[in-house]
Amino acid sequence: MDAMKKFRRFLCALLGAVLFVSCSAVLLWAAPLSEELSSQWNKLSDKLGQILELREKLPELPDSAYFGADKKSTDRKITGLLHEAQAILLSSDTMKLVERSEQIKEKLPKLRSTLEKYREKRIGAPVKSYNPLSDTVADCDKKIAEAEKDIARLDSELREIRGKILAEMRGWGLKITDAQADVIFSTVMGDDLLKNAVIFENVKDVTEQLSSLLNQSGDDLSLARKYYGMYLTLIDLLLDCQNRFIDQIDSTWIPRVDVIADSASKSLIEALAALNRSDFTEAQKSIFKSNVASNELTAAAASKYCRLLELQKKNVRNCVDNLRRDREVAANTYATVRHISDMSTVMRSGLRLFDVLSSMQLPEIRTFHSDSVRKEFDEITRRLQSQR
C-alpha cells in the first residue's frame, strides 16, 4: 500500500511536467513490490517471457498441423500460461483474507444447520438417559451453546476481515462506498471483483517495475523489446481476466438467477391460486399469504440481482474496450521499436488507464433498500454458490 502511495505522488509530479517529450521524463525508479509479489517475481517474469516467445513465433506457424506446433496448439499454450500468470498475480495479503472469508462462509451454514438440528432435537429429548447414544436436554443445550458461540465468533471474524479488505482497496485509491462494499460481499460476483482488483493492482506494480527496467536498458533495443513485450502481455492478461468474468456472468450466474426467479414465480402463482380456493381453512390461507410475500420478495430480489449482474457486465465490457484500444497503441509501438521514449510514454499512459479501469469495475448499485432485500440477496448468493 505504501508503495502505491509513493507511486501516485510521483506520478502526479510527472503529470505536472511537459507530457513525456523525451527520455528525461521516463520513470527513473520503481517503488518496491509487495513481499508476496516480490517472492514470485522470477516465476512471473518467466511466464511472461514464455508467452512473449510463443507470441513471436505465432505468425510463422501453420493454422493446423498433424505434427509439431501450430496456431491452435500454441494459442492453447498461451492461454494456459496467461492463467498461470494470473494465479501468480493473485498473490497478496488481500487474497489471503478472501480465502479465509470463503472458509468462514462454508462453515457458517453447517453451524446454523447444527444449531437448528439440536433445537429441534431438544423438544423430544429426555431429561436423563442411560443410553450413551441418546442426547439429553442438557446435551442439546451444550451443543446449542457451542454452535451459537462458534457462529458469533465467525460472524465477528468475517466482519473484521471485510473491514480489512475494504481498507486495503481504499488504500489502493479505489473510491468504494459502504453500499458498494455491501454488494461486493453479498453477491456471487464479489470474489471475482476482488480478484480483479488484486490483479489490477499487482499489474500496475509490475508495470512500474518494467517501466524502470525499460529506462535502465538505455539504447539496448533487444532488452527494450523484451520489457515492452512483457507489458503487452500484461494487457493481454487483463483482457483474458475480464473476458472470463463476462463469460461467467453470461453462462453461469444470470442463468442460475433466472432459475431461482422462475421457481419463485411458480410458487407465487400456486400460492395466489390457493388463496381463492374455499377448501382451505383461514389458518392454511394465512400460511399461503406468508408464502406469497416470501416469493414476491425472492422474485423482486432475483430481478434486482440480474440487473446488477447486467450492469457489472456492461462496466467490464467498457473496461475491455478501453484495454483493447490501449493494446492497439502498445502493439503498434512494439512492432515499430524505434524509440524507447515512445514505449515509455505508452507504458505510463497504461498506468493511468489501469487506475481508471479498476475504479470502473466497482458495482453501480447504491444500496439495499431494506434488511429483508439484503438478506434475500445473501440467500440467493448462498444458493448460487451451493451449485458450484
Side-chain angles (χ1 to χ4, degrees), residues 223-245:
L223 278 177
R225 187 176 178 85
K226 172 188 173 183
Y227 296 139
Y228 198 71
M230 291 169 71
Y231 166 69
L232 262 176
T233 302
L234 287 172
I235 298 179
D236 288 333
L237 182 149
L238 290 175
L239 282 167
D240 178 79
C241 183
Q242 302 296 72
N243 282 322
R244 283 201 291 159
F245 184 36

Side-chain angles (χ1 to χ4, degrees), residues 31-178:
L33 296 173
S34 67
E35 186 177 341
E36 287 285 332
L37 192 54
S38 181
S39 66
Q40 298 283 332
W41 174 260
N42 289 338
K43 190 175 179 181
L44 176 63
S45 179
D46 181 57
K47 297 293 179 191
L48 296 178
Q50 289 180 54
I51 294 169
L52 181 58
E53 186 177 343
L54 289 172
R55 283 268 167 80
E56 292 279 0
K57 294 178 180 178
L58 198 59
E60 301 171 5
L61 295 174
D63 291 337
S64 61
Y66 287 109
F67 301 102
D70 57 26
K71 282 186 170 66
K72 289 182 180 178
S73 63
T74 303
D75 272 332
R76 284 196 296 271
K77 286 182 181 178
I78 289 171
T79 299
L81 287 166
L82 281 173
H83 294 171
E84 290 175 23
Q86 285 170 12
I88 294 171
L89 285 165
L90 283 171
S91 301
S92 75
D93 290 336
T94 305
M95 284 313 301
K96 289 179 181 178
L97 291 171
V98 172
E99 288 165 8
R100 176 56 184 160
S101 170
E102 286 305 298
Q103 292 172 0
I104 292 173
K105 285 189 284 186
E106 285 181 13
K107 288 180 180 179
L108 282 172
K110 295 175 184 177
L111 284 169
R112 291 191 175 106
S113 178
T114 298
L115 181 61
E116 189 63 28
K117 171 186 171 183
Y118 282 100
R119 279 175 174 168
E120 290 181 5
K121 199 170 186 179
R122 187 184 187 282
I123 296 172
V127 175
K128 292 183 179 179
S129 176
Y130 295 103
N131 182 356
L133 300 178
S134 176
D135 288 312
T136 64
V137 170
D139 292 330
C140 290
D141 284 341
K142 181 180 178 182
K143 288 176 180 176
I144 288 170
E146 288 174 350
E148 288 177 335
K149 183 179 179 181
D150 286 339
I151 289 170
R153 175 178 56 80
L154 290 177
D155 274 337
S156 176
E157 185 182 353
L158 190 58
R159 286 193 298 272
E160 184 179 347
I161 286 172
R162 288 177 173 179
K164 288 179 180 179
I165 291 173
L166 182 56
E168 190 75 10
M169 293 175 76
R170 285 171 173 164
W172 296 339
L174 294 176
K175 295 178 181 178
I176 180 170
T177 66
D178 289 342

Side-chain angles (χ1 to χ4, degrees), residues 129 183 217 239 250-251 267 307 315 348 382:
S129 176
V183 174
S217 67
L239 282 167
D250 277 335
S251 64
S267 296
R307 278 205 306 276
N315 285 353
R348 288 197 304 278
R382 186 193 64 76

